[in-house]
Amino acid sequence: MSAKNQYGPQLGQALMEAGMTQLSFSFDAHVSPESVSAYKNGRAIAPPDVKSKSVLVTDNPYLAIAAAHESTAGTSPVILDGDNVELNRHTVVVKTVEEVEELLAAIKQVRPILIKPPKSLTAAERQQVEHLIQETLDVVTSTTNMAAVICREMRFSWVYQWGLHKSKLVKEGFMKMMKGAGRHE
């Protein structure tokens, strides 16, 4: 995982892939072309409304991941871009299956521990719970990157897929629909 700021470079890449200039994006985002340049080059941090607009306008999954990561103080999935990563739909599916299997093993190991009150856990049990959390975060990162790769390779809209997902969550009663929130917000 890379700790560097990925939003700026991803913005440049997303605009190029969308066939947009800094000027045209600046009109859409209601900012100056100089601001767009500063965001792309890491000289300034884009405000949340610009990040949101950039994701909606470009419909780029990697830009969305980078925007979320930067906006949450690094507490959301990153774009996997290390030397040991092969990003195509075949390899990301294999890696994601591996990560899910590791998570299931960790869940089975920790399940009896999670029944206990947290204050009664031993140091070793707390380490097992922390391992479960890390395995969970591995799956979140892996599945997010898998979805991004598949959306890109199959030319599915990232924004639309998230809209469908949220609609399903609302329909199943796992999420309340916010006033004014549409399918793609």
Side-chain angles (χ1 to χ4, degrees), residues 39-99:
Y39 305 147
K40 283 176 45 181
N41 296 315
R43 293 188 315 271
I45 295 174
D49 62 320
V50 172
K51 288 178 186 169
S52 180
K53 189 65 161 178
S54 69
V55 171
L56 291 173
V57 167
T58 65
D59 198 9
N60 186 298
Y62 298 107
L63 181 60
I65 294 168
H69 188 73
E70 184 178 286
S71 297
T72 60
T75 61
S76 66
V78 295
I79 299 165
L80 297 176
D81 65 353
D83 294 337
N84 293 328
V85 175
E86 180 70 34
L87 291 177
N88 63 63
R89 66 187 181 278
H90 307 290
T91 56
V92 295
V93 167
V94 169
K95 183 61 176 167
T96 298
V97 168
E98 177 184 309
E99 295 295 350

